[in-house]
Amino acid sequence: MKQSVNRLKPFFENIHFEKEDNTMVINFGPQHPSSHGQMRLILELQGEEIVKARPDVGYLHRGMEKMGENMIYNEFLPTTDRMDYIAAASNNYGYAHAVEKLLGIEVPRRAEIIRTMLIELNRIIAHLFWLATHALDVGAMSVFLYTFREREFAMDLIEDYCGARLTHSTIRIGGVPLDLPDGWCEDLEKFLKILDVEVDKYEGLLTQNRIWRMRLENVGTISPEMAKSWACSGVTLRGSGIKWDLRREMPYGLYPELEFDVPVASTGDSYGRYLCYMQEMRECAKILRQLIPMYHESESQLMAHAPEYISASKEDIMTQNYSLMQHFVLVTQGMRPPKGEVYVATESPKGELGFMIVSDGSPYAYKMKLRAPSFWHTGIFEDLLPGHQLADVVTIIGSLNEVFGEIDR
């Protein structure tokens, strides 16, 4: 018996029933509901405090950039809907705007007005979705139900325009496919009146709510220096006190003609970002109200006139032989842009969305790179999460408003 114990003694000496420290490594996601099923955070904990964090992405691995290089230019446009699928029109616009710059064509004014209406309405939809899911993650159930109600009304307007609700491909290279249906602007005005009242109600539920403030204030604080070093954009950057909005700083489309404010918060925490999002919804409504009279005053042309790149109208295709042949070539073989390279950035609901396209003169992009804001905002977790409690992780993820469809690589 004594010999058996002596023989096993080295084995027992290597077993530690109590560690000297209380460090534990856990996986937050991809199964966790608040990680959206597509992100894994490897967290090192000291008790309940995070001491180290490493984000791991790649669970939605479609190769979006390579898909863009293996489709003709028009063929890739509906695929952009699947990036930030909460704000499909913003992706359509960013891509179409980049290709139009490559082609050197100008979009008709009415088409630009309709585009701006769609992307600002989509911005409201995206912000309502963010508020609903963020509040639900933190524990506020009622807000989720109210915001989804208004989101449905906004999606009804999108559906009235194009027949789709989520991935709607409402924008084309060179313009838009459809004019607004009769009564659409009147329905938009009714929705904006409802939205004004309801946004005040959301704030009444949350802004001074003691539990909401305890969960968000001084949580996930991003300093201006950290925001710039991680290339943050959108509300994530403006919530840290840096007033940078591409619609103002690098104007495009109709934005130089429109009056709107750029909300900024100085605190840099989750609560400051929340206040920015709430005010941005009001600014979107202000923009949409200015666009309605501009639409009524504009001419009816919806697509740019560039036969070598853009198909003629459906009426011409059905009645003119040359337009039919030209359309056939563009659909089957694709346009051939001039050789060159462009990078175009637009202000999506989540930040700077950029498309870099390198053309070699063929119907396919020689090289395409996407600058998606959620991809950059995921990297900041490495610096942002240490020092916070485990319970704060859900709050911080929600406040950064990430959609993992555009993180896909």
Side-chain angles (χ1 to χ4, degrees), residues 228-290:
K228 287 187 283 188
S229 67
W230 281 99
C232 292
S233 57
V235 171
T236 305
L237 181 64
R238 296 191 288 273
S240 299
I242 300 173
K243 194 172 184 178
W244 180 266
D245 187 314
L246 292 175
R247 295 172 296 173
R248 279 281 181 250
E249 305 302 327
M250 302 171 65
Y252 55 90
L254 294 175
Y255 289 109
E257 303 178 36
L258 300 170
E259 293 183 10
F260 62 96
D261 297 323
V262 178
V264 177
S266 58
T267 55
D269 59 2
S270 298
Y271 189 72
R273 291 190 283 275
Y274 154 75
L275 293 176
C276 283
Y277 276 114
M278 299 306 289
Q279 189 57 35
E280 271 207 0
M281 282 193 273
R282 296 186 174 98
E283 296 303 317
C284 290
K286 186 190 297 184
I287 291 171
L288 286 167
R289 286 194 173 96
Q290 295 173 62

Side-chain angles (χ1 to χ4, degrees), residues 198-330:
E198 297 304 327
V199 171
D200 290 340
K201 288 182 181 178
Y202 308 151
E203 288 219 76
L205 286 169
L206 295 176
T207 302
Q208 298 303 327
N209 185 299
R210 182 166 57 93
I211 299 174
W212 181 254
R213 296 187 68 162
M214 287 172 64
R215 291 298 306 273
L216 270 68
E217 285 184 327
N218 301 315
V219 172
T221 302
I222 302 175
S223 67
E225 293 73 23
M226 184 190 294
K228 287 187 283 188
S229 67
W230 281 99
C232 292
S233 57
V235 171
T236 305
L237 181 64
R238 296 191 288 273
S240 299
I242 300 173
K243 194 172 184 178
W244 180 266
D245 187 314
L246 292 175
R247 295 172 296 173
R248 279 281 181 250
E249 305 302 327
M250 302 171 65
Y252 55 90
L254 294 175
Y255 289 109
E257 303 178 36
L258 300 170
E259 293 183 10
F260 62 96
D261 297 323
V262 178
V264 177
S266 58
T267 55
D269 59 2
S270 298
Y271 189 72
R273 291 190 283 275
Y274 154 75
L275 293 176
C276 283
Y277 276 114
M278 299 306 289
Q279 189 57 35
E280 271 207 0
M281 282 193 273
R282 296 186 174 98
E283 296 303 317
C284 290
K286 186 190 297 184
I287 291 171
L288 286 167
R289 286 194 173 96
Q290 295 173 62
L291 290 169
I292 292 172
M294 293 169 65
Y295 169 79
H296 291 305
E297 295 166 3
S298 62
E299 297 180 357
S300 59
Q301 187 180 354
L302 298 177
M303 292 292 289
H305 180 71
E308 66 273 32
Y309 304 128
I310 309 295
S311 289
S313 66
K314 188 171 183 179
E315 181 181 355
D316 288 346
I317 292 171
M318 300 298 288
T319 58
Q320 298 179 17
N321 191 41
Y322 175 76
S323 296
L324 176 62
M325 291 189 295
Q326 171 236 353
H327 173 71
F328 179 80
V329 171
L330 288 175

Side-chain angles (χ1 to χ4, degrees), residues 68-114:
E69 294 170 10
N70 287 277
M71 294 180 179
I72 61 176
Y73 287 93
N74 281 315
E75 189 180 10
F76 181 62
L77 194 141
T79 310
T80 62
D81 289 20
R82 279 79 185 166
M83 293 168 53
D84 178 2
Y85 38 81
I86 308 302
S90 296
N91 307 329
N92 296 161
Y93 184 84
Y95 174 68
H97 196 40
V99 177
E100 287 155 7
K101 186 174 180 181
L102 182 65
L103 300 175
I105 61 177
E106 186 175 345
V107 175
R109 183 171 179 81
R110 173 163 285 203
E112 197 66 71
I113 292 168
I114 295 173

